[in-house]
Amino acid sequence: MSDRGRFPIHPWSIVETELDLSELARTESLFALSNGHIGLRANLDEGEPFGIPGTYLNSFFEERPLPYAEAGYGFPETGQTVVDVTNGKLIRLMVDDSPFDLRYGKLLSHVRTLDLRTGLLNREADWVSPAGKQVRVRSNRLVSFTQRSIAAIEYIVEAVDQPVRIVLQSELVANEAQPVLTRDPRKAAALASPLEPVSHDVDGHGVVLVHRTKQSQLMLATGMAHVVEATSRHEIDVDAREEWARTTIICELQPGESLRLIKYVGYGWSALRSHTAIRDQVAAALDAAKFLGWDGLVEQQRTTLDDFWDAADVEITGNDELQQAIRFALFHVMQAGIRAEGRAIPSKGLTGPGYDGHTFWDTEGFVLPPLTYTMPHAAADALRWRHSTLDLAKARATELGLGGAAFPWRTIRGQECSAYWPAGTAAFHINADVALAVERLFTAQGDVEFLDDVGLELLIETARLWATLGHFGPDAHWHVDGVTGPDEYSAIVDDNVFTNLAAARNLRAAARLSRLRPATAARLGVGEQEIGLWDLCADAVHIEWDDRLGVHPQSAKFTGHEVWDFEAWQDRYPLLLNAPYFDLYRKQVVKQADLVLAMHWFGEAFTDEQKARNVDYYERITVRDSSLSACTQAVMAAEVGHLDLAYRYAQEAALIDLLDLHHNTSDGLHMASLGGAWIALVEGFGGLRQSGSMLSLRPALPAALERMCFSVRWQGVRLRAEVTHDSVTLSVHDGPDALITLLVDGETVDVDADAPVTLGLKSRTPLLPTPTQPIGREPMNVEER
């Protein structure tokens, strides 16, 4: 059966109508559940067969040495890898003497549904054992948004046509066997049985196992408790050892009778607290979950999602597949951040082991924008995590001979974990990405407490790095040399336009907000002389320009390089796996939006004509070997009037995992691209920007869409915009006194709660014809696939 047949399109759910065992790893990612603290891959309840087993706790990792052929000063020596912690999902089933294993017997039907409105993963299976006994198995799984430490499973077994003896084994298993996912023996060794036993406790309320990682010395507690409902006689037995615990339920079922099990699983970890404290915390969480009950957890889940969708939903008329995809994307972005609370948001969320569970600039650049406007507390939490690592970033800057703070390119707990020094050492734009996220959040939500607590210090310390990294040249311009920008097919370049503009924006924001909050700035040691230096650097920033071509070179001398032979390499993408980096570095070939991203984030620095010419030039040499690119290309294609091209890029960003476009969804979902789906639609077709202290919209729809509605939170108000080809209707829905003043197509508009405001839209005519892309790298056309 085709993908479209197995995954029919529904507006509010992802449904798999037939199980394909060869696709298990992919669907384990698609149906993963998380609350930002706990992450459960969608492994089958009985545990086997599996693609990649996975239960993750945010920032729970093991250390491993980093490999170098030749070491150098400042190279990170230790890596961090996310750990598959104790598995609490397991519920094994015996039907008489036959294990419920879908590789045996006869599977009559198997349907899984991820409900985006309830947050539940539902599974329904009808199975006949090798001995001819038919049972119907139904399960519902959740990771609680309100009870941070709790996951829960409802598991129901029904006898269909004959009496059967049912044995359920609900388990906790530590140090699960892992498939070989890496050739690096250091990483493999770190992940082989990473958990050492500390204690195991059994009482009338449940079981708690406590383990500790071997190298990072993090303490983990995992517990389970149960409620059993059966009309017939049943027996329960509990046992535990160092690496496993098991609750066994036995009963006889007549046809039509069922056994219902509610399993509560609790998780907790700490680098500081004692094992008894963590054990007791998990036991208490389990007691609280049982007190609330399954129905209470389900009701809280629905209430949380109702509030989220009221502020976050994007409604589309004209493309049902894109409608489903944008809600899928927003659901997973929400899951990744809703209860992270002082932890990072990894690039894969908690859906898989990809990228070792690391956080990159993806978070601030692509995940935090939708969270800022839909769930701002989660964006603030992510930035509070960055602030919690500030001492490590300052130490890294000192090690590199710089002032301020140098945030890591990739990390779990704040230390640099990249063994690739052109990124780990030279991609300083991560600092400005963090700073822009701070500025964006404060402008959108006006949270002065956040600014005083963490935001201004992040701006100040990142500005201090730029003030020591950049320099004034003979031309009196301020330059930043020897850095790596967003495009990883260029490295160690001078005057990367994105980096220079990002640094200038960082410096100006630090100066402006230090003047706004002088007491906080003084507490952080900032005086007018330092502020004046920041302004001076920002005002004198050098921006590359090519008079001959009439475009901005991505970095110094970039447009003078030889153009990559795209025709010769058309069948060998991604290039990073097939071409030597030194050759990529000296040619005009772009992995992902870089100069185009600069126009998106810092649009005020470019004229409309420059944007049009730059889009035209860089479309022809950008190969999108990164999932970070399609959303930005969608936004800028829309801004310069190529709406149909933007539409194709938007679909690519939104469908990256549902269609497995990069063939690696099995390792976990692409959180940046999922956040980018919202960016492509709301910032692309909605034209959402921050213009100074005001919200700005410039809507325009592609021909394929008839209508789009979206909502954003702005300064305590929920604004709803309904866009058609001819008009936009604006309304607020956050109380009778709600009022917002914004720009629409450059005109100031007031919207209050009394009545919606409908405005006509200006047409958007492109200055240049629609550009082409490198051969074989055209954006996906969903209708033609």
Side-chain angles (χ1 to χ4, degrees):
M1 184 182 292
S2 69
D3 242 20
R4 282 191 168 184
R6 283 202 309 127
F7 295 94
I9 296 171
H10 296 276
W12 283 103
S13 61
I14 310 300
V15 180
E16 179 193 43
T17 61
E18 182 177 308
L19 188 67
D20 183 345
L21 296 182
S22 69
E23 288 280 298
L24 278 178
R26 174 189 167 203
T27 55
E28 287 163 358
S29 298
L30 294 178
F31 292 122
L33 296 178
S34 173
N35 63 5
H37 174 58
I38 303 169
L40 305 182
R41 281 178 64 81
N43 307 115
L44 301 176
D45 298 292
E46 57 275 11
E48 296 181 12
F50 61 79
I52 302 173
T55 302
Y56 310 110
L57 295 181
N58 196 338
S59 299
F60 191 85
F61 69 94
E62 184 58 302
E63 295 177 345
R64 60 186 177 89
L66 288 176
Y68 295 102
E70 293 185 29
Y73 176 80
F75 286 11
E77 297 181 357
T78 303
Q80 300 167 351
T81 298
V82 66
V83 171
D84 178 20
V85 301
T86 306
N87 185 358
K89 303 186 293 285
L90 289 169
I91 302 176
R92 304 190 196 275
L93 168 63
M94 293 284 289
V95 179
D96 285 345
D97 59 355
S98 299
F100 178 57
D101 188 319
L102 303 183
R103 295 167 292 190
Y104 305 98
K106 185 177 183 180
L107 184 62
L108 302 179
S109 67
H110 191 279
V111 179
R112 286 191 288 180
T113 303
L114 176 62
D115 191 318
L116 306 177
R117 289 176 294 188
T118 66
L120 299 183
L121 175 60
N122 172 264
R123 179 191 186 201
E124 298 185 3
D126 279 277
W127 180 77
V128 179
S129 74
K133 298 292 184 76
Q134 183 177 349
V135 293
R136 180 168 297 124
V137 176
R138 289 170 287 159
S139 71
N140 285 290
R141 183 185 298 178
L142 65 82
V143 177
S144 177
F145 300 142
T146 55
Q147 313 297 313
R148 185 172 184 255
S149 300
I150 293 296
I153 303 169
E154 177 189 44
Y155 193 90
I156 302 170
V157 184
E158 178 186 351
V160 176
D161 57 351
Q162 301 177 59
V164 293
R165 182 182 67 255
I166 295 298
V167 181
L168 287 184
Q169 297 173 306
S170 177
E171 300 184 6
L172 301 177
V173 176
N175 291 321
E176 286 183 291
Q178 296 288 317
V180 178
L181 300 175
T182 177
R183 297 179 181 179
D184 180 355
R186 301 167 183 84
K187 179 179 175 184
L191 296 181
S193 299
L195 301 175
E196 294 181 328
V198 175
S199 68
H200 53 283
D201 296 282
V202 181
D203 60 26
H205 300 287
V207 179
V208 179
L209 304 181
V210 181
H211 292 85
R212 178 173 46 224
T213 53
K214 297 175 182 177
Q215 302 301 321
S216 57
Q217 292 291 291
L218 303 180
M219 195 77 69
L220 160 72
T222 311
M224 65 177 178
H226 302 86
V227 174
V228 179
E229 298 175 3
T231 55
S232 57
R233 183 179 67 88
H234 60 278
E235 296 182 358
I236 301 175
D237 181 66
V238 182
D239 194 9
R241 297 289 188 272
E242 289 184 337
E243 293 203 347
W244 60 265
R246 179 185 301 131
T247 296
T248 303
I249 303 105
I250 305 174
C251 74
E252 298 276 353
L253 296 179
Q254 299 300 315
E257 291 185 334
S258 61
L259 170 68
R260 181 177 185 244
L261 171 70
I262 306 298
K263 179 177 185 177
Y264 302 98
V265 186
Y267 288 97
W269 76 266
S270 176
L272 301 174
R273 302 174 69 207
S274 69
H275 89 272
T276 54
I278 300 170
R279 179 200 64 196
D280 293 348
Q281 171 194 335
V282 168
L286 289 170
D287 287 341
K290 288 180 66 178
F291 179 79
L292 184 63
W294 171 260
D295 291 342
L297 289 172
V298 170
E299 181 181 358
Q300 288 183 345
Q301 209 81 342
R302 181 62 186 251
T303 300
T304 301
L305 282 166
D306 283 347
D307 183 67
F308 171 73
W309 289 119
D310 183 58
D313 189 26
V314 178
E315 302 173 50
I316 294 169
T317 304
N319 185 329
D320 293 340
E321 188 171 31
L322 184 58
Q323 175 67 89
Q324 179 192 47
I326 183 58
R327 286 175 174 152
F328 169 83
L330 282 167
F331 176 80
H332 276 291
V333 168
M334 178 276 299
Q335 284 199 130
I338 188 169
R339 297 301 303 275
E341 295 177 8
R343 307 293 182 196
I345 298 178
S347 63
K348 297 287 187 179
L350 298 176
T351 66
Y355 294 117
D356 282 337
H358 289 168
T359 294
F360 296 75
W361 69 291
D362 307 24
T363 298
E364 283 81 12
F366 301 91
V367 177
L368 293 198
L371 289 179
T372 293
Y373 296 110
T374 63
M375 199 166 62
H377 82 268
D381 283 342
L383 291 168
R384 288 181 184 276
W385 167 75
R386 280 290 184 193
H387 184 268
S388 75
T389 70
L390 187 57
D391 285 346
L392 292 169
K394 291 167 73 173
R396 178 65 172 161
T398 299
E399 182 181 29
L400 298 175
L402 299 168
F407 283 106
W409 177 245
R410 59 186 299 170
T411 190
I412 293 179
R413 291 289 297 281
Q415 297 89 347
E416 179 59 70
C417 291
S418 175
Y420 178 61
W421 74 268
T425 302
F428 290 104
H429 69 83
I430 175 64
N431 269 35
D433 306 328
V434 172
L436 182 60
V438 170
E439 183 187 7
R440 181 194 302 116
L441 179 63
F442 177 69
T443 301
Q445 306 304 335
D447 187 346
V448 174
E449 181 181 355
F450 163 80
L451 189 65
D452 286 341
D453 285 350
V454 301
L456 187 55
E457 188 171 14
L458 286 170
L459 290 171
I460 287 168
E461 294 300 341
T462 50
R464 284 171 170 163
L465 177 128
W466 295 116
T468 57
L469 184 64
H471 70 96
F472 284 91
D475 58 0
H477 288 178
W478 187 73
H479 300 264
V480 181
D481 296 337
V483 299
T484 299
D487 172 29
E488 293 159 20
Y489 287 170
S490 298
I492 319 302
V493 299
D494 295 342
D495 287 323
N496 172 254
V497 171
F498 175 90
T499 300
N500 283 16
L501 286 173
R505 178 71 169 264
N506 189 165
L507 291 161
R508 289 192 180 102
R512 176 172 58 85
L513 294 176
S514 290
R515 291 188 176 107
L516 179 69
R517 308 297 296 172
T520 304
R523 173 173 58 83
L524 297 170
V526 177
E528 189 57 43
Q529 184 176 356
E530 187 173 24
I531 292 173
L533 174 62
W534 296 341
D535 282 333
L536 186 65
C537 295
D539 291 344
V541 67
H542 177 76
I543 305 302
E544 287 286 315
W545 175 253
D546 187 325
D547 281 323
R548 178 178 60 89
L549 295 173
V551 298
H552 288 85
Q554 182 173 282
S555 56
K557 301 181 181 179
F558 180 81
T559 50
H561 292 168
E562 181 183 355
V563 175
W564 186 261
D565 188 345
F566 295 104
E567 184 173 357
W569 287 82
Q570 61 181 293
D571 299 320
R572 288 183 280 178
Y573 290 102
L575 295 179
L576 71 147
L577 299 182
N578 295 288
Y581 264 105
F582 91 92
D583 206 22
L584 295 169
Y585 289 166
R586 64 195 187 95
K587 301 284 180 64
Q588 286 193 65
V589 55
V590 178
K591 180 182 180 182
Q592 64 204 71
D594 187 310
L595 190 283
V596 173
L597 183 63
M599 295 191 297
H600 175 197
W601 288 10
F602 315 112
E604 68 281 355
F606 303 86
T607 67
D608 289 344
E609 182 180 359
Q610 288 171 348
K611 290 176 183 177
R613 293 181 65 84
N614 285 334
V615 166
D616 185 77
Y617 188 87
Y618 285 94
E619 275 290 300
R620 301 173 193 276
I621 59 173
T622 300
V623 296
R624 291 191 333 286
D625 282 348
S626 165
S627 62
L628 304 185
S629 198
C631 67
T632 297
Q633 289 175 265
V635 170
M636 290 311 303
E639 183 167 338
V640 301
H642 303 310
L643 292 167
D644 293 336
L645 176 61
Y647 175 65
R648 293 174 65 183
Y649 279 130
Q651 291 182 97
E652 186 174 296
L655 291 162
I656 185 170
D657 288 314
L658 286 173
L659 299 184
D660 198 13
L661 297 178
H662 283 221
H663 311 293
N664 59 359
T665 295
S666 58
D667 291 340
L669 303 180
H670 297 78
M671 287 299 150
S673 190
L674 297 180
W678 182 93
I679 292 170
L681 294 176
V682 175
E683 298 189 16
F685 303 136
L688 181 145
R689 301 287 190 279
Q690 290 185 3
S691 179
S693 62
M694 295 180 69
L695 180 68
S696 174
L697 300 179
R698 188 171 171 245
L701 293 184
L705 297 183
E706 300 170 21
R707 169 183 167 273
M708 182 177 77
C709 291
F710 62 90
S711 295
V712 295
R713 295 178 188 257
W714 182 268
Q715 300 284 346
V717 174
R718 300 190 197 199
L719 173 73
R720 185 174 187 270
E722 180 175 359
V723 183
T724 67
H725 288 282
D726 302 318
S727 66
V728 57
T729 298
L730 304 171
S731 58
V732 296
H733 56 298
D734 229 8
D737 298 323
L739 171 68
I740 184 171
T741 300
L742 70 158
L743 297 174
V744 180
D745 273 339
E747 302 295 328
T748 302
V749 178
D750 293 322
V751 185
D752 59 34
D754 292 337
V757 174
T758 299
L759 304 165
L761 296 178
K762 298 176 182 178
S763 61
R764 191 171 302 182
T765 303
L767 297 177
L768 297 172
T770 302
T772 59
Q773 295 75 39
I775 185 169
R777 304 306 289 165
E778 301 83 1
M780 180 192 69
N781 190 325
V782 174
E783 288 76 14
E784 294 178 1
R785 79 181 194 278

